[in-house]
Amino acid sequence: MTSPTLKAIIFDMDGVLIDSEPSWQEAEFQTMKLLGLPICYEDTLQTTGLRIDQVVGYWYQRFPWDNYDNEHTANTIVDQVVSAITTAGQAMTGVESALEYCRDNDYKIGLATSSSSPIIEAVLNKLNIAHYFDAIQSAEHLAYGKPHPEVYLNCAKSLGLEPMTCVAIEDSFNGLVAARAANMQTIAIPAVAQQDEPKWIIAHQQLRDLTELPSFLDARI
């Protein structure tokens, strides 16, 4: 059985377009540390790809604290991340050339992220890439964030395409689960330190960074 023709490339944002995962991890760790949670910095990797309210809920389930206010704690983390992106945000390797390639080769371009509107705005402004996207979808106000597939299904619908004609690019396991559940082709581009982990077998393809995307797409033609 041949694979369907790809018509769109849908990008996750954090860790795929912008090197923001360390900022998320630092903000999450510092906020949880102030709340008295017995976690270390590396523990924050467990929540990569989750929506921020899910992140806060995840830690509260494990280490309940007094005066729990999910929204306040989530906003505290988001504000720190927006500040870090605005002052020192850096594009991931190959972002602009990958977006240029997709546009020049008539692929529709989508963005499907768990991040909230302030984060999306900060990233698109910092990298000056908003003009590339034909559809931008956030799981911010959905009933469920990734690993639920709804944000990816919404993005495909916004692009006017069937999910099976889209390829999703993700850096997290939760994101890959969401994209696969949406019946999309998937590409994993994990953080360098995680690239040899066996869990990435869930993806249809694993790349080192976005500079390899054009070659991957050319090979499918």
Side-chain angles (χ1 to χ4, degrees):
M1 181 177 177
T2 59
S3 298
T5 300
L6 291 181
K7 297 180 180 179
I9 315 301
I10 301 179
F11 294 83
D12 175 45
M13 188 174 72
D14 295 286
V16 172
L17 298 177
I18 192 163
D19 188 15
S20 55
E21 293 296 2
S23 298
W24 277 107
Q25 291 156 18
E26 180 66 19
E28 180 181 340
F29 172 64
Q30 293 297 339
T31 301
M32 296 304 159
K33 183 179 177 181
L34 286 173
L35 288 169
L37 274 62
I39 68 172
C40 64
Y41 181 85
E42 289 73 19
D43 290 333
T44 62
L45 294 174
Q46 299 171 35
T47 61
T48 302
L50 296 180
R51 195 171 61 190
I52 187 60
D53 61 305
Q54 294 174 299
V55 171
V56 176
Y58 174 92
W59 289 119
Y60 182 72
Q61 286 182 351
R62 282 152 183 78
F63 306 107
W65 61 86
D66 295 335
N67 303 313
Y68 174 62
D69 185 335
N70 186 295
E71 184 177 3
H72 175 76
T73 304
N75 287 339
T76 298
I77 295 171
V78 167
D79 288 347
Q80 293 178 56
V81 176
V82 168
S83 178
I85 290 170
T86 302
T87 57
Q90 296 288 326
M92 298 297 288
T93 301
V95 167
E96 189 158 6
S97 61
L99 291 171
E100 288 277 357
Y101 174 89
C102 293
R103 184 179 64 183
D104 292 346
N105 287 272
D106 297 324
Y107 289 103
K108 289 189 175 182
I109 304 174
L111 178 66
T113 176
S114 294
S115 287
S116 58
S117 299
I119 301 287
I120 296 171
E121 183 178 358
V123 171
L124 297 182
N125 287 341
K126 184 66 177 181
L127 302 185
N128 190 27
I129 57 174
H131 58 285
Y132 286 106
F133 293 95
D134 300 297
I136 296 174
Q137 291 290 326
S138 168
E140 178 180 12
H141 300 300
L142 301 181
Y144 303 101
K146 299 174 185 178
H148 194 281
E150 186 173 7
V151 68
Y152 273 114
L153 293 171
N154 287 350
C155 196
K157 183 177 181 180
S158 183
L159 291 169
L161 296 173
E162 292 296 323
M164 68 180 61
T165 66
C166 304
V167 61
I169 303 179
E170 276 282 354
D171 71 312
S172 75
F173 186 81
N174 286 314
L176 288 169
V177 171
R180 292 217 53 157
N183 199 29
M184 292 185 179
Q185 296 293 304
T186 54
I187 295 174
I189 305 182
V192 173
Q194 302 173 40
Q195 288 185 353
D196 293 330
E197 295 180 7
K199 64 184 179 182
W200 306 119
I201 196 170
I202 189 176
H204 294 92
Q205 180 71 32
Q206 181 174 338
L207 303 179
R208 185 183 70 254
D209 56 48
L210 284 173
T211 63
E212 296 183 342
L213 181 62
S215 295
F216 166 76
L217 294 174
D218 285 344
R220 290 182 55 95
I221 297 174

